[in-house]
Amino acid sequence: MKPKNLLIMLVVLAALGAVAIIMNVRNNAPQTKIYIENFNPDDVSRIEMTKGKEETVLEKSGGVWQMVKPASYKANQENVKDLLEKFKDFTVGAVISSNKEKHADFGLSEGAAARVKLIAVGKLLADAEFGNMASDGVNMFMKFPGKDDVYLAKGPARYQLDRQVSDWRDRTILKLGKDEIEEVAIAK
């Protein structure tokens, strides 16, 4: 066989190998599934968030969110709404690690993970632990309590889960509509 023909056959073989590898990677891409089927944020009546020893509990009473733990205050309605909206399309990808020793690398070690429970009247809708954001800035590492498998998930952002107690509290002092204000005076 001539060297030229051998070279052409090697190039064709390499190209076919590259195509096979690319097709295999595409077919084995992590599959995602919606974690909470038919999720409606209005169905949630209680949110429990724990990070380390700090626990924040929010409950809906008469259509208004209240913080009930660690103290009793009216909750910041927008922050609660934003968090629940992120769970509408909450998707969980394939397992990326089953090694418990790697949990710290994903921000899922004891005390570092943010655990969230969403509860509808008497029914647990979701219970998951969230770690660091992934390098893509969109997905987050998560696992289910008591399990070692770590998943790549898309849903709430880590900053939403890291809010301090004061961020969940409604800090409105006075609520007026612009039609109710006639004059603003600043005195020295």
Side-chain angles (χ1 to χ4, degrees):
M1 185 176 276
K2 296 182 181 179
K4 184 178 179 182
N5 289 345
L6 183 59
L7 182 61
I8 291 172
M9 285 178 46
L10 287 173
V11 169
V12 168
L13 184 60
L16 287 173
V19 168
I21 289 171
I22 290 170
M23 294 302 288
N24 190 34
V25 167
R26 281 190 185 160
N27 290 338
N28 291 329
Q31 299 296 310
T32 58
K33 70 173 196 135
I34 293 179
Y35 176 57
I36 311 170
E37 292 292 329
N38 303 314
F39 178 73
N40 181 356
D42 293 333
D43 293 342
V44 178
S45 60
R46 182 177 172 99
I47 303 169
E48 298 176 7
M49 296 170 286
T50 310
K51 184 176 178 193
K53 294 181 180 180
E54 185 177 304
E55 183 178 18
T56 304
V57 178
L58 307 171
E59 287 184 353
K60 187 166 46 174
S61 175
V64 178
W65 284 97
Q66 303 287 330
M67 180 189 309
V68 296
K69 192 173 182 181
S72 182
Y73 295 106
K74 182 177 178 188
N76 182 317
Q77 304 301 301
E78 284 302 311
N79 284 352
V80 176
K81 179 183 172 193
D82 290 345
L83 176 66
L84 292 175
E85 285 295 317
K86 291 293 186 179
F87 277 98
K88 280 172 82 171
D89 300 315
F90 178 40
T91 55
V92 178
V95 174
I96 59 169
S97 174
S98 294
N99 185 350
K100 186 176 184 175
E101 305 300 318
K102 298 234 179 218
H103 284 182
D105 296 341
F106 299 115
L108 291 166
S109 60
E110 189 78 30
R115 185 173 181 178
V116 178
K117 292 182 187 180
L118 301 180
I119 302 163
V121 182
K123 178 182 175 192
L124 183 65
L125 298 174
D127 186 1
E129 295 176 4
F130 296 90
N132 298 333
M133 293 296 292
S135 60
D136 64 4
V138 175
N139 293 294
M140 187 184 317
F141 301 110
M142 63 85 53
K143 70 181 206 68
F144 297 105
K147 306 289 183 189
D148 291 336
D149 292 343
V150 176
Y151 301 85
L152 203 56
K154 185 175 180 183
R158 183 61 196 232
Y159 79 88
Q160 292 176 302
L161 305 176
D162 284 341
R163 286 188 168 123
Q164 301 297 313
V165 171
S166 62
D167 296 326
W168 290 109
R169 183 177 166 185
D170 184 357
R171 294 183 265 173
T172 304
I173 296 170
L174 179 64
K175 192 169 188 174
L176 292 174
K178 59 184 170 181
D179 296 340
E180 297 174 273
I181 300 172
E182 293 179 17
E183 182 180 334
V184 176
I186 301 174
K188 198 173 190 184

